[in-house]
Amino acid sequence: MDVSSFTATDLSRLALSVRLRDLSEAFRVAVAAEDSAVSSEDPDLAGRLWSLLATEIPSLQDAIVHHVRSSGGSWADIAALDGVSEDEARDRWKAVELTRTADPVAEAAALDDWYIRHAQLEPLAQVRDPFSRLLRAHAPRPHECLICVKYAEGALPAYGGYTTPPGGYLVDDGVWRVGHGPTPYWPAGTLLIESHRHFLDYADMNEAEAATIGPLIQRFAGPLKEAMGAPRIHFFSCMEGAEHFHVWLVPRTGDVPSGRSFIANPGYCSIPEAEAAIGRLREAMARAEANR
Ligand SMILES: [Zn+2]
């Protein structure tokens, strides 16, 4: 996309979406604000939310009017929204200016990024550019591998993991990366092994990859059981989320009826829990190394 390809409808859609994102972010954060934060660090949360409504709701109405008008809507359509006559609607809204963003291309990319990071459970999260594709300025992008996109610092849903995993990388040797898996989807101690090189599965490994994947997994299996007190480590690898070689090492700690039901719903953890697990794993690996 380039700036000159943005239509008036695109720009009004962009302005509306920026307002909706900012409002939704403000309210999302307020939903999870702790009572202690409200009383000590942020004593005026209610006041800030109230003034947000007072200033932002009229701006949001402006943005909606602009979007309806630029998409071909009439003053009668606007009047119907507000329950007023067509003349009243025209008098009220005709002088409203579109709030322009300085860099529409960057703002559209930021909206794509924000959307898929926050909505990873929705079907649209499977689309890499859910906002941009609604713009007439949009040019379709070729399919991209989720793991390659991650290391190119692109927009990534939460299930794609981290470029800097909690507790840091255990291995990053130019052939493999090993770090903690994404905490909203996997329990504490879950490791994600990824190949540096883009290829699908064991059939496509080069000599160096084929020679090192077994010893790599072996290095982690024992210490991971010890660090997590896990009777079993589940090794899971299907390449369905990304067509790029990766293996999950999932410690199973609780009582579960069967392996399949555990891996279908393995649980989740917090970032501090993941960091603590990686700390214990590093200690267990150092002990295993010393005893070798
Ligand atoms: Zn890839």
Side-chain angles (χ1 to χ4, degrees), residues 60-75:
L60 185 58
Q61 289 176 322
D62 289 355
I64 293 169
V65 169
H66 253 286
H67 188 250
V68 171
R69 292 283 295 153
S70 72
S71 311
S74 66
W75 286 115

PDB file of all heavy atoms in Angstrom, residues 60-75:
ATOM      1  N   LEU A  60     -16.221   9.854  18.165  1.00  0.00           N
ATOM      2  CA  LEU A  60     -16.582   8.594  17.516  1.00  0.00           C
ATOM      3  C   LEU A  60     -17.783   8.806  16.600  1.00  0.00           C
ATOM      4  O   LEU A  60     -17.829   8.297  15.480  1.00  0.00           O
ATOM      5  CB  LEU A  60     -16.880   7.547  18.598  1.00  0.00           C
ATOM      6  CG  LEU A  60     -17.156   6.123  18.145  1.00  0.00           C
ATOM      7  CD1 LEU A  60     -16.002   5.557  17.333  1.00  0.00           C
ATOM      8  CD2 LEU A  60     -17.411   5.237  19.361  1.00  0.00           C
ATOM      9  N   GLN A  61     -18.752   9.613  17.080  1.00  0.00           N
ATOM     10  CA  GLN A  61     -19.913   9.921  16.234  1.00  0.00           C
ATOM     11  C   GLN A  61     -19.478  10.652  14.965  1.00  0.00           C
ATOM     12  O   GLN A  61     -19.946  10.338  13.870  1.00  0.00           O
ATOM     13  CB  GLN A  61     -20.932  10.754  17.032  1.00  0.00           C
ATOM     14  CG  GLN A  61     -21.636   9.930  18.106  1.00  0.00           C
ATOM     15  CD  GLN A  61     -22.580  10.764  18.957  1.00  0.00           C
ATOM     16  OE1 GLN A  61     -22.287  11.905  19.292  1.00  0.00           O
ATOM     17  NE2 GLN A  61     -23.709  10.183  19.326  1.00  0.00           N
ATOM     18  N   ASP A  62     -18.552  11.606  15.121  1.00  0.00           N
ATOM     19  CA  ASP A  62     -18.012  12.307  13.937  1.00  0.00           C
ATOM     20  C   ASP A  62     -17.421  11.299  12.950  1.00  0.00           C
ATOM     21  O   ASP A  62     -17.647  11.383  11.737  1.00  0.00           O
ATOM     22  CB  ASP A  62     -16.899  13.290  14.343  1.00  0.00           C
ATOM     23  CG  ASP A  62     -17.433  14.499  15.098  1.00  0.00           C
ATOM     24  OD1 ASP A  62     -18.678  14.612  15.208  1.00  0.00           O
ATOM     25  OD2 ASP A  62     -16.612  15.293  15.571  1.00  0.00           O
ATOM     26  N   ALA A  63     -16.627  10.381  13.498  1.00  0.00           N
ATOM     27  CA  ALA A  63     -15.935   9.414  12.632  1.00  0.00           C
ATOM     28  C   ALA A  63     -16.935   8.498  11.919  1.00  0.00           C
ATOM     29  O   ALA A  63     -16.751   8.150  10.754  1.00  0.00           O
ATOM     30  CB  ALA A  63     -14.947   8.595  13.461  1.00  0.00           C
ATOM     31  N   ILE A  64     -18.013   8.127  12.635  1.00  0.00           N
ATOM     32  CA  ILE A  64     -19.043   7.279  12.010  1.00  0.00           C
ATOM     33  C   ILE A  64     -19.733   8.047  10.880  1.00  0.00           C
ATOM     34  O   ILE A  64     -19.942   7.520   9.772  1.00  0.00           O
ATOM     35  CB  ILE A  64     -20.078   6.797  13.063  1.00  0.00           C
ATOM     36  CG1 ILE A  64     -19.414   5.850  14.055  1.00  0.00           C
ATOM     37  CG2 ILE A  64     -21.265   6.111  12.378  1.00  0.00           C
ATOM     38  CD1 ILE A  64     -20.273   5.532  15.273  1.00  0.00           C
ATOM     39  N   VAL A  65     -20.073   9.313  11.147  1.00  0.00           N
ATOM     40  CA  VAL A  65     -20.723  10.131  10.115  1.00  0.00           C
ATOM     41  C   VAL A  65     -19.839  10.217   8.878  1.00  0.00           C
ATOM     42  O   VAL A  65     -20.292  10.016   7.739  1.00  0.00           O
ATOM     43  CB  VAL A  65     -21.040  11.552  10.656  1.00  0.00           C
ATOM     44  CG1 VAL A  65     -21.456  12.483   9.512  1.00  0.00           C
ATOM     45  CG2 VAL A  65     -22.142  11.478  11.709  1.00  0.00           C
ATOM     46  N   HIS A  66     -18.546  10.488   9.095  1.00  0.00           N
ATOM     47  CA  HIS A  66     -17.612  10.573   7.974  1.00  0.00           C
ATOM     48  C   HIS A  66     -17.571   9.278   7.175  1.00  0.00           C
ATOM     49  O   HIS A  66     -17.556   9.284   5.952  1.00  0.00           O
ATOM     50  CB  HIS A  66     -16.204  10.891   8.481  1.00  0.00           C
ATOM     51  CG  HIS A  66     -15.816  12.290   8.160  1.00  0.00           C
ATOM     52  ND1 HIS A  66     -15.482  12.693   6.897  1.00  0.00           N
ATOM     53  CD2 HIS A  66     -15.748  13.386   8.938  1.00  0.00           C
ATOM     54  CE1 HIS A  66     -15.222  13.985   6.916  1.00  0.00           C
ATOM     55  NE2 HIS A  66     -15.365  14.434   8.144  1.00  0.00           N
ATOM     56  N   HIS A  67     -17.549   8.176   7.901  1.00  0.00           N
ATOM     57  CA  HIS A  67     -17.443   6.894   7.206  1.00  0.00           C
ATOM     58  C   HIS A  67     -18.694   6.601   6.393  1.00  0.00           C
ATOM     59  O   HIS A  67     -18.621   6.189   5.236  1.00  0.00           O
ATOM     60  CB  HIS A  67     -17.164   5.766   8.213  1.00  0.00           C
ATOM     61  CG  HIS A  67     -16.864   4.465   7.535  1.00  0.00           C
ATOM     62  ND1 HIS A  67     -17.734   3.402   7.574  1.00  0.00           N
ATOM     63  CD2 HIS A  67     -15.825   4.083   6.764  1.00  0.00           C
ATOM     64  CE1 HIS A  67     -17.216   2.411   6.855  1.00  0.00           C
ATOM     65  NE2 HIS A  67     -16.058   2.788   6.364  1.00  0.00           N
ATOM     66  N   VAL A  68     -19.862   6.868   6.999  1.00  0.00           N
ATOM     67  CA  VAL A  68     -21.124   6.626   6.274  1.00  0.00           C
ATOM     68  C   VAL A  68     -21.187   7.527   5.031  1.00  0.00           C
ATOM     69  O   VAL A  68     -21.512   7.077   3.931  1.00  0.00           O
ATOM     70  CB  VAL A  68     -22.344   6.881   7.205  1.00  0.00           C
ATOM     71  CG1 VAL A  68     -23.645   6.846   6.406  1.00  0.00           C
ATOM     72  CG2 VAL A  68     -22.381   5.849   8.321  1.00  0.00           C
ATOM     73  N   ARG A  69     -20.835   8.810   5.209  1.00  0.00           N
ATOM     74  CA  ARG A  69     -20.895   9.763   4.085  1.00  0.00           C
ATOM     75  C   ARG A  69     -19.908   9.381   2.980  1.00  0.00           C
ATOM     76  O   ARG A  69     -20.249   9.402   1.798  1.00  0.00           O
ATOM     77  CB  ARG A  69     -20.606  11.191   4.579  1.00  0.00           C
ATOM     78  CG  ARG A  69     -21.678  11.774   5.491  1.00  0.00           C
ATOM     79  CD  ARG A  69     -22.912  12.232   4.735  1.00  0.00           C
ATOM     80  NE  ARG A  69     -22.603  13.345   3.836  1.00  0.00           N
ATOM     81  CZ  ARG A  69     -23.262  13.621   2.728  1.00  0.00           C
ATOM     82  NH1 ARG A  69     -24.276  12.844   2.354  1.00  0.00           N
ATOM     83  NH2 ARG A  69     -22.918  14.637   1.977  1.00  0.00           N
ATOM     84  N   SER A  70     -18.678   9.034   3.377  1.00  0.00           N
ATOM     85  CA  SER A  70     -17.661   8.747   2.354  1.00  0.00           C
ATOM     86  C   SER A  70     -17.934   7.422   1.651  1.00  0.00           C
ATOM     87  O   SER A  70     -17.403   7.151   0.586  1.00  0.00           O
ATOM     88  CB  SER A  70     -16.262   8.739   2.978  1.00  0.00           C
ATOM     89  OG  SER A  70     -16.108   7.597   3.773  1.00  0.00           O
ATOM     90  N   SER A  71     -18.778   6.576   2.272  1.00  0.00           N
ATOM     91  CA  SER A  71     -19.140   5.312   1.625  1.00  0.00           C
ATOM     92  C   SER A  71     -20.396   5.463   0.774  1.00  0.00           C
ATOM     93  O   SER A  71     -20.968   4.468   0.327  1.00  0.00           O
ATOM     94  CB  SER A  71     -19.387   4.226   2.681  1.00  0.00           C
ATOM     95  OG  SER A  71     -18.337   4.180   3.602  1.00  0.00           O
ATOM     96  N   GLY A  72     -20.871   6.699   0.624  1.00  0.00           N
ATOM     97  CA  GLY A  72     -22.025   6.938  -0.240  1.00  0.00           C
ATOM     98  C   GLY A  72     -23.338   7.107   0.507  1.00  0.00           C
ATOM     99  O   GLY A  72     -24.393   7.232  -0.112  1.00  0.00           O
ATOM    100  N   GLY A  73     -23.272   7.121   1.841  1.00  0.00           N
ATOM    101  CA  GLY A  73     -24.493   7.305   2.636  1.00  0.00           C
ATOM    102  C   GLY A  73     -25.016   8.736   2.518  1.00  0.00           C
ATOM    103  O   GLY A  73     -24.236   9.671   2.305  1.00  0.00           O
ATOM    104  N   SER A  74     -26.330   8.888   2.672  1.00  0.00           N
ATOM    105  CA  SER A  74     -26.955  10.210   2.506  1.00  0.00           C
ATOM    106  C   SER A  74     -27.145  10.874   3.868  1.00  0.00           C
ATOM    107  O   SER A  74     -26.970  10.245   4.913  1.00  0.00           O
ATOM    108  CB  SER A  74     -28.314  10.042   1.834  1.00  0.00           C
ATOM    109  OG  SER A  74     -29.173   9.325   2.721  1.00  0.00           O
ATOM    110  N   TRP A  75     -27.529  12.171   3.849  1.00  0.00           N
ATOM    111  CA  TRP A  75     -27.886  12.854   5.093  1.00  0.00           C
ATOM    112  C   TRP A  75     -29.111  12.189   5.723  1.00  0.00           C
ATOM    113  O   TRP A  75     -29.252  12.193   6.947  1.00  0.00           O
ATOM    114  CB  TRP A  75     -28.125  14.341   4.851  1.00  0.00           C
ATOM    115  CG  TRP A  75     -26.831  15.086   4.623  1.00  0.00           C
ATOM    116  CD1 TRP A  75     -26.425  15.709   3.488  1.00  0.00           C
ATOM    117  CD2 TRP A  75     -25.766  15.241   5.565  1.00  0.00           C
ATOM    118  NE1 TRP A  75     -25.166  16.231   3.647  1.00  0.00           N
ATOM    119  CE2 TRP A  75     -24.734  15.966   4.922  1.00  0.00           C
ATOM    120  CE3 TRP A  75     -25.567  14.835   6.882  1.00  0.00           C
ATOM    121  CZ2 TRP A  75     -23.540  16.303   5.549  1.00  0.00           C
ATOM    122  CZ3 TRP A  75     -24.379  15.166   7.511  1.00  0.00           C
ATOM    123  CH2 TRP A  75     -23.371  15.891   6.853  1.00  0.00           C
TER     124      TRP A  75
END
